[in-house]
Structures are given as C-alpha cells and as structure tokens.
Amino acid sequence: MDLRLSPSTLTTSVRPALTSRLTSSPPTSHVDADFSGALKNALTAVSASQNNATRLQQEVQMENPQVSLEETMVSMQKAQIGFQAALHVRNRMVQAYTDIMNMQV
C-alpha cells in the first residue's frame, strides 16, 4: 500500500473542495479595485474587529464560561493593531495632502 501523496493526488484526496475551486470559473462578485474601495473595506474590517473585541470584553465581564480571557485579550490586541495601522495610513494621507498643497505650481 502506497501512502505517499503526489501533487496530483493531494488535491483530489485530501482537499476535494480545493479541486472544485481550481476548476471552476472565477467568482463574479464585484471587487473594488480603486483606493477608496480598498480603504473602505479596511476600515470596515477594523471596525468589525473592534466590535468583536468589545463584545468579548462584555462577555468576560458577565463571566460567560464559553468566552476565555485569552481569546478576549488576543481579540483586543488584533483590534488595537488594526486601529494603529489605520491611523498610520490616515497620517500618511494627511501628510501627502499637505505636501501636495504646499507645492508650487
């Protein structure tokens, strides 16, 4: 009995869902390719992360046994990192705007 997996058997035996995604056509959902769409999606993700961290904090304060303190702390750190990244992007955009406004025409 041969138990080795080759690249051709890996996609069909271990990951059948991957095979269907590879052979199907690309999704037809609308993807924002412009900067404003990407920024909006990133801010929405940061907001969702902050909302999730807040919800987990409230659950820990209510002593819900299904929510761990570790999970809450990790969620809070993810939200903080996301917010800091968004803040840096905003600061760079404001700096770029002021640099452009200070250029002589």
Side-chain angles (χ1 to χ4, degrees):
M1 182 171 174
D2 188 20
L3 296 176
R4 289 178 287 167
L5 294 175
S6 66
S8 62
T9 60
L10 180 65
T11 57
T12 57
S13 62
V14 178
R15 296 196 140 177
L18 181 63
T19 304
S20 64
R21 281 188 286 172
L22 291 175
T23 58
S24 66
S25 62
T28 58
S29 65
H30 176 68
V31 177
D32 291 329
D34 56 344
F35 181 75
S36 64
L39 184 62
K40 182 179 178 183
N41 290 340
L43 291 176
T44 302
V46 168
S47 178
S49 176
Q50 288 178 331
N51 291 339
N52 184 37
T54 301
R55 182 186 58 80
L56 288 174
Q57 285 176 355
Q58 290 171 349
E59 291 294 326
V60 166
Q61 289 172 354
M62 300 274 218
E63 297 180 3
N64 185 351
Q66 295 178 346
V67 178
S68 68
L69 181 61
E70 295 84 8
E71 178 185 6
T72 304
M73 295 302 291
V74 168
S75 178
M76 288 170 52
Q77 288 298 315
K78 285 181 181 181
Q80 182 180 11
I81 290 170
F83 181 74
Q84 288 175 351
L87 193 62
H88 285 297
V89 169
R90 190 225 34 192
N91 291 342
R92 295 286 291 214
M93 288 175 54
V94 169
Q95 182 64 42
Y97 177 77
T98 56
D99 289 346
I100 291 171
M101 287 294 114
N102 291 333
M103 284 183 184
Q104 294 182 0
V105 183

